[in-house]
């Protein structure tokens, strides 16, 4: 189940770097984070949904790779994003 259009538009508006920005690393990580939170809630109610669990792990790995890229390219943006999304830092 994908994110509702309203929530997706709100996340993009909150994290975009310029007016037409929809694909920057910050926006992508924020969208993945909201999707991960949604799937986590679903799995709390449906513990035996293994296909959902696999999808969740895939999204977590994708977000981790994007955060590693951001950490290597612009450390200040990485710190600001992890602080804003309340993510742990390594």
């Amino acid at each position: 189940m994908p994110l509702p259009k309203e929530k997706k538009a709100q996340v993009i508006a909150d994290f975009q770097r310029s007016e037409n920005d929809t694909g920057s690393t910050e926006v992508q990580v924020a969208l993945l984070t909201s999707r991960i939170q949604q799937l986590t809630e679903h799995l709390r109610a449906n513990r035996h949904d293994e296909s959902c669990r696999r999808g969740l792990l895939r999204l977590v790995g994708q977000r981790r790779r994007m955060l590693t890229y951001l950490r290597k390219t612009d450390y200040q943006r990485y710190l600001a994003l992890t602080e804003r999304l309340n993510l742990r830092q390594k």
Side-chain angles (χ1 to χ4, degrees):
M1 58 186 123
L3 287 175
K5 287 184 182 183
E6 300 83 24
K7 179 159 175 102
K8 186 174 181 177
Q10 181 63 39
V11 169
I12 290 172
D14 289 344
F15 287 91
Q16 64 187 2
R17 301 181 71 203
S18 64
E19 185 177 332
N20 295 325
D21 176 27
T22 58
S24 68
T25 308
E26 289 93 339
V27 171
Q28 291 182 50
V29 169
L31 286 173
L32 285 171
T33 300
S34 60
R35 182 81 172 109
I36 287 168
Q37 290 169 348
Q38 180 187 20
L39 288 176
T40 302
E41 289 302 315
H42 171 78
L43 279 172
R44 285 194 178 120
N46 304 287
R47 293 187 185 275
H48 298 290
D49 191 351
E50 294 300 325
S51 60
C52 179
R53 186 177 316 279
R54 182 180 184 278
L56 175 65
L57 291 175
R58 184 171 177 256
L59 291 177
V60 169
Q62 187 176 1
R63 182 180 68 177
R64 182 182 50 82
R65 288 189 302 273
M66 290 183 125
L67 285 170
T68 301
Y69 165 78
L70 188 60
R71 187 176 64 215
K72 284 193 286 189
T73 56
D74 193 345
Y75 191 68
Q76 294 304 318
R77 281 174 41 201
Y78 167 77
L79 288 177
L81 183 64
T82 53
E83 178 70 29
R84 199 161 165 202
L85 292 173
N86 296 325
L87 299 175
R88 287 187 301 164
Q89 301 171 13
K90 284 188 175 181

